[in-house]
Amino acid sequence: MYRLRLAYLTTAFAALALPVEAANLLVDNAWPMAKAQDEFANLIRGDLVHEITIDADSIRITAGHPTDAEQTVDYSWDQSEVRRSGSFVNFSALGMGDTKPFALDQLQFDKLPEVKAAAIAAFATPGSRIVEIEASQPTTRTSKKLLPLWEVTLSTNSGKTGTVWLTALGQVVDVELPEGSATAATLGPWLAPATVENTLSRLADEFGTDANFLEIMIDDSKALITMEDPQNPGGTAEFYMDAEKITRSSSNMPMPNPFAPTLDRAFTLADVANLDVACLTDLEARTLARMEMPDMTVFRYTISRNTLFMTPEDDRLLVEVRAEASDQWTGGRVAYDMDGNEADVVLP
């Protein structure tokens, strides 16, 4: 009996001594999410969070310094305990970077299973896997309200990566698919009338038909939009759009541009409703005919009330169609009002 008990105890202690296999935090959902967050909260003690990074075996959080507003502190959890590491410069306090800090409890770790599942579904690429999860409160988004977002990076079987942004509860707010994805390909040539119409439709979906726009410029690969700032009514903001996303951008102008469009000449997307496929196809053909040169193509559309070639009191809303020859130097333009009438012509 003694030997049996001894053998049993020896076996039990040996089992307890075996190392516990660490969870893959990006794949598994059985690790103590709420406990990990509580441990972080106990150390961070209400300081605002700048960034959260989750990889396969650990979580790292950058938060405000408890006593020095110009510094941040890194905390890490290695699936056993939370440790504090070094201090770093607080770029947000210096007005640098494109994020703002947020409270840790605005993102709950125990919602990560739903967040991961929603990201995989939105990525919609068989065989893809999550390679990193980050969180921040970006100021580059188009939304009126600043929100902390999960940023889930996924990789395809071929190694191409894309990103899905989601709210705290797993609502998808944006998807950036890998370069060359089917989504971009289905749009067709960027300046084709159908694609230009789709671009205007995407802006309506993103900002609404009543948003105030100052200028929409569409070239062969992107659109640059100047409009009333959704986050700061009365101010202006610039946005960049390509085949897959719309993001806030900042001007590289070192000083205010005296020729920039202003809010007193704003327009809405309802005002440009006539610019459908049929209208754009007609304007393209008429512009190329007016150039009276072979091998010319349209390379840019600009929609605005702010046109330097018009008198200040003329506030007609126009679409300027620019064309160029194959030398990419010789070109001209025709500006049309929303009824398709010519307002200005410059020939090569």
Side-chain angles (χ1 to χ4, degrees):
M1 180 65 71
Y2 173 78
R3 290 179 179 176
L4 288 175
R5 286 180 179 176
L6 180 61
Y8 172 78
L9 290 173
T10 301
T11 303
F13 280 119
L16 290 173
L18 289 174
V20 177
E21 184 178 354
N24 184 328
L25 306 183
L26 301 176
V27 177
D28 301 334
N29 290 325
W31 53 277
M33 301 172 191
K35 181 176 181 293
Q37 183 156 14
D38 287 342
E39 291 184 13
F40 274 114
N42 289 336
L43 278 183
I44 293 173
R45 294 184 178 276
D47 292 315
L48 296 180
V49 170
H50 293 252
E51 185 178 57
I52 301 172
T53 301
I54 302 175
D55 57 27
D57 54 15
S58 64
I59 301 175
R60 186 178 71 254
I61 294 181
T62 300
H65 195 285
T67 59
D68 187 347
E70 296 183 355
Q71 297 286 313
T72 61
V73 178
D74 272 4
Y75 302 87
S76 63
W77 180 70
D78 60 1
Q79 303 193 39
S80 61
E81 63 178 321
V82 175
R83 295 183 177 89
R84 172 176 167 171
S85 57
S87 299
F88 303 92
V89 175
N90 185 346
F91 291 104
S92 180
L94 298 175
M96 302 170 64
D98 54 10
T99 64
K100 287 189 175 182
F102 60 95
L104 177 60
D105 62 7
Q106 287 184 266
L107 295 177
Q108 295 295 324
F109 289 2
D110 58 7
K111 297 297 182 183
L112 281 169
E114 292 92 330
V115 169
K116 291 188 288 185
I120 292 171
F123 199 62
T125 305
S128 61
R129 59 189 178 88
I130 296 173
V131 294
E132 188 174 61
I133 301 174
E134 296 179 303
S136 65
Q137 184 164 247
T139 58
T140 55
R141 309 304 303 169
T142 62
S143 60
K144 294 181 180 179
K145 185 178 180 181
L146 287 178
L147 291 172
L149 298 175
W150 292 110
E151 181 179 330
V152 181
T153 301
L154 299 100
S155 177
T156 66
N157 286 332
S158 61
K160 294 183 177 181
T161 60
T163 306
V164 181
W165 286 266
L166 309 97
T167 67
L169 298 178
Q171 179 183 0
V172 176
V173 298
D174 204 358
V175 180
E176 182 179 328
L177 295 175
E179 184 177 352
S181 66
T183 298
T186 57
L187 288 175
W190 191 252
L191 283 174
T195 311
V196 174
E197 183 184 51
N198 178 266
T199 296
L200 298 176
S201 177
R202 287 173 61 198
L203 288 175
D205 292 340
E206 188 77 22
F207 299 106
T209 56
D210 294 328
N212 288 320
F213 290 84
L214 285 69
E215 182 177 88
I216 300 172
M217 189 190 76
I218 305 170
D219 65 18
D220 60 353
S221 62
K222 64 185 179 301
L224 298 176
I225 302 101
T226 305
M227 62 180 296
E228 184 172 21
D229 190 346
Q231 296 177 7
N232 180 31
T236 61
E238 296 178 350
F239 294 90
Y240 171 96
M241 173 196 280
D242 62 16
E244 293 162 346
K245 62 184 179 302
I246 305 174
T247 55
R248 183 180 294 262
S249 62
S250 58
S251 174
N252 292 321
M253 293 292 291
M255 60 184 64
N257 178 5
F259 304 115
T262 53
L263 282 172
D264 61 336
R265 291 200 169 192
F267 61 93
T268 68
L269 292 173
D271 295 326
V272 299
N274 284 351
L275 296 180
D276 57 13
V277 170
C279 176
L280 290 164
T281 300
D282 177 61
L283 297 184
E284 178 184 41
R286 288 167 59 191
T287 300
L288 297 178
R290 289 287 268 137
M291 296 299 104
E292 298 181 344
M293 287 184 63
D295 302 324
M296 294 198 79
T297 57
V298 169
F299 75 94
R300 191 169 75 197
Y301 292 92
T302 304
I303 306 169
S304 176
R305 293 190 196 276
N306 187 64
T307 48
L308 296 178
F309 48 81
M310 294 172 61
T311 57
E313 61 272 12
D314 190 341
D315 65 350
R316 282 179 295 170
L317 179 58
L318 303 177
V319 53
E320 178 196 76
V321 185
R322 286 185 176 255
E324 66 179 2
S326 57
D327 62 9
Q328 297 185 337
W329 180 260
T330 305
R333 70 179 184 225
V334 182
Y336 305 90
D337 65 21
M338 290 302 107
D339 293 323
N341 302 308
E342 289 186 6
D344 182 77
V345 180
V346 175
L347 298 177

